[in-house]
Amino acid sequence: GESVGLHLPTLSVQEGDNSIINCAYSNSASDYFIWYKQESGKGPQFIIDIRSNMDKRQGQRVTVLLNKTVKHLSLQIAATQPGDSAVYFCAENTGGFKTIFGAGTRLFVKA
Amino acid sequence: DSGVTQTPKHLITATGQRVTLRCSPRSGDLSVYWYQQSLDQGLQFLIQYYNGEERAKGNILERFSAQQFPDLHSELNLSSLELGDSALYFCASSVDHLDRSPAFGPGTRLTVT
């Protein structure tokens, strides 16, 4: 499949372990944050979002943590599976149309 | 499958040429966004349309243009193509222009030789 980026930070985890993907965002005025997953040859897929009035939000096997003090966002994936292998992007939004995407992190899951 | 469709999936063309990329939004969505994803620039917002009208512009070059038709499909026109225009081009759609997490299509991979 097509490669999204050849020089992305890479995280390699064992199947069944928990994964933590980190992201630093740039704009302190951003009030909405999203994590997307992009598999090879596909478009970004929404995973979970969080608004700035929250510091934690949980979904199915995923948790997003927001630390506004240091402008840091993390995505935790519980019991990582081979199907979780992909590039993960954080994105920030200050309202309206313009969503700014981070560079992405490539997650490899070893069986 | 997000419900957003894009054609063609792959496109190879020469420098100086012009191409048109097509997008059909999810059923019921009125807003369409175009993004460019290159190896060195990541995902960059290009332009947004809502119900046929341009809503917002991002980092879109003057050589590029887009439109949204009455049936809500959208086309992105790229002209005077340069090698650096080689990238993945994604269309995304949302119900309205205020939705901040649109659904992405599978993309069109453009290669300029």
Side-chain angles (χ1 to χ4, degrees), chain B residues 4-42:
Chain B
V4 180
T5 60
Q6 290 186 248
T7 57
K9 188 171 175 61
H10 300 279
L11 196 51
I12 301 174
T13 190
T15 54
Q17 295 298 305
R18 182 180 189 276
V19 297
T20 297
L21 313 183
R22 183 187 168 102
C23 167
S24 292
R26 282 182 313 190
S27 177
D29 285 358
L30 299 179
S31 194
V32 169
Y33 309 72
W34 285 98
Y35 286 83
Q36 179 192 58
Q37 186 177 44
S38 59
L39 290 179
D40 59 348
Q41 293 287 326

Side-chain angles (χ1 to χ4, degrees), chain B residues 15-75:
Chain B
T15 54
Q17 295 298 305
R18 182 180 189 276
V19 297
T20 297
L21 313 183
R22 183 187 168 102
C23 167
S24 292
R26 282 182 313 190
S27 177
D29 285 358
L30 299 179
S31 194
V32 169
Y33 309 72
W34 285 98
Y35 286 83
Q36 179 192 58
Q37 186 177 44
S38 59
L39 290 179
D40 59 348
Q41 293 287 326
L43 263 167
Q44 299 284 320
F45 168 74
L46 296 179
I47 198 164
Q48 179 200 8
Y49 281 83
Y50 174 71
N51 206 19
E53 294 193 5
E54 182 184 304
R55 201 59 207 178
K57 262 186 176 179
N59 302 320
I60 188 166
L61 300 173
E62 286 192 10
R63 300 184 286 109
F64 296 180
S65 65
Q67 55 184 325
Q68 185 179 28
F69 295 86
D71 67 352
L72 300 176
H73 92 272
S74 178
E75 293 181 354

